[in-house]
Amino acid sequence: MSTPSKLSQLRELSVVVADTGDYEAIKRLQPVDCTTNPTLVKKALDLPVYAELIERELAWGRQQGGDRETVVHAVADRLTIGVGALLSTLVPGRVSTEVDADQAHDTAATVAKARQFIQMYADAGVPREKILIKIAATWEGVEAARILQAEGIDCNLTLIFNPTQALACSEAGAFLISPFVGRILDWYVANGQTPANIDEDPGVKFVRGVYAEFKRRGSPTVVMGASFRSTAQIEALAGCDRLTISPDLLEKLDADHGELPRKLVAGAADGAAVTPIDAAKFAADLAADPMATEKLATGIDAFAKDLQALRERIRSEL
């Protein structure tokens, strides 16, 4: 008997999520969940499987009167939900759908957009149980998640680089957090601190620490490692609740038939009292962490630029 692929073994240990909106890749790799964001929606505009959807939404846009920018924004939203609705038919689990990154520091705007997306999905026949609303983990984003979770709208808090950030999300009742393994490593390497081995990788160490602390607290918030640079990082987090992985790394794991041992094991909750994180502690702990401060800001900026690029593309097509 040959050993099953590392991807097969990983599926036994962690929920595998595809970090892509590529319809064909999702069909082939069969992840449990997938994600959509402006970058992926913009890429999707060139995929034949979405051609009909794109034509339909652009035709809708051309028929609208009123302010052109409002129409461009509306078409971007409709395409986002359209792509997400199509992807929801391919996965048994959830589709993470990103709200506007340019509103990452505005709780009310984030909540309004999340409610709008959930309604648009419902109108398209996709129930809220199939959707995760993806929000940047600023303090305002954490507060938005607190409101949305209380309404039964599950959230994926993304761009997590700092332990206080992660714990604040958990305390707000977030369904899921996405700590960014690769981007943490990138920062340390860029600052002249290349780890000696995978167990010293700062991104891997961060996720292991967050996972252990969530389990110690008995937190139901799902830890989903994200932004991987290598299969070694993924293998070092085997056993994490979920792992969101790009198609090329999924293919590499699928082609590798070595042994894949479990690395993360949930300990028992100890019931020790914790002091809740407030806005002041959140701000202070982030300010004291140059890596997290920089990566959160540049991450939001990149997501916002992608949204602008998607809107720009729609503007030119209209």
Side-chain angles (χ1 to χ4, degrees), residues 159-163 165 180 183-184 206 289 291-292 295-296:
L159 296 171
I160 306 264
F161 300 103
N162 173 277
Q165 219 190 347
F180 276 38
R183 292 194 200 184
I184 293 175
F206 173 61
D289 184 342
M291 178 275 294
K295 285 295 176 187
L296 178 59

Side-chain angles (χ1 to χ4, degrees), residues 231-284:
T231 53
Q233 287 181 325
I234 297 164
E235 290 177 37
L237 294 173
C240 190
D241 300 329
R242 299 188 191 194
L243 298 167
T244 181
I245 305 170
S246 63
D248 61 322
L249 291 176
L250 286 171
E251 304 273 13
K252 283 182 181 165
L253 289 165
D254 202 28
D256 186 345
H257 288 264
E259 288 291 336
L260 181 68
R262 176 186 282 276
K263 290 296 171 89
L264 276 66
V265 180
D270 65 9
V274 292
T275 307
I277 292 158
D278 59 11
K281 178 168 174 57
F282 187 94

Side-chain angles (χ1 to χ4, degrees), residues 1-34:
M1 280 284 286
S2 67
T3 312
S5 76
K6 283 188 176 171
L7 182 56
S8 297
Q9 295 175 68
L10 186 63
R11 289 186 207 275
E12 299 291 316
L13 304 172
S14 300
V15 173
V16 173
V17 178
D19 199 1
T20 181
D22 180 340
Y23 189 91
E24 295 305 328
I26 291 166
K27 217 158 128 180
R28 188 173 68 252
L29 296 160
Q30 298 182 318
V32 173
D33 294 352
C34 64

Side-chain angles (χ1 to χ4, degrees), residues 42-156:
K42 188 164 155 282
K43 279 184 189 154
L45 296 183
D46 298 319
L47 300 171
V49 69
Y50 297 119
E52 197 183 318
L53 164 74
I54 290 150
E55 266 321 299
R56 187 172 72 233
E57 296 307 347
L58 289 172
W60 177 87
R62 292 181 191 115
Q63 286 160 3
Q64 305 306 304
D67 176 53
R68 187 177 164 78
E69 270 316 282
T70 307
V71 174
V72 167
H73 285 223
V75 172
D77 288 348
R78 290 168 70 99
L79 281 175
T80 298
I81 302 305
V83 168
L86 261 172
L87 295 178
S88 76
T89 64
L90 287 183
V91 292
R94 311 259 190 156
V95 178
S96 274
T97 303
E98 191 180 300
V99 292
D100 304 7
D102 51 11
Q103 296 172 339
H105 293 284
D106 185 334
T107 297
T110 297
V111 168
K113 179 58 71 141
R115 288 173 180 153
Q116 179 198 331
F117 276 2
I118 289 294
Q119 187 56 53
M120 287 171 76
Y121 270 120
D123 294 344
V126 183
R128 66 175 60 189
E129 296 75 40
K130 290 281 290 181
I131 304 303
L132 287 177
I133 295 293
K134 195 167 163 193
I135 300 170
T138 58
W139 179 254
E140 295 81 5
V142 171
E143 288 293 287
R146 201 185 307 276
I147 295 164
L148 292 165
Q149 287 290 161
E151 295 175 10
I153 295 172
D154 287 335
C155 300
N156 166 359

Side-chain angles (χ1 to χ4, degrees), residues 148-203:
L148 292 165
Q149 287 290 161
E151 295 175 10
I153 295 172
D154 287 335
C155 300
N156 166 359
L157 274 284
T158 188
L159 296 171
I160 306 264
F161 300 103
N162 173 277
T164 299
Q165 219 190 347
L167 291 169
C169 296
S170 155
E171 290 172 11
F175 179 85
L176 179 148
I177 63 162
S178 299
F180 276 38
V181 181
R183 292 194 200 184
I184 293 175
L185 174 66
D186 293 347
W187 190 88
Y188 282 97
V189 170
N191 285 275
Q193 298 174 57
T194 303
N197 56 54
I198 198 67
D199 292 320
E200 292 301 314
D201 181 311

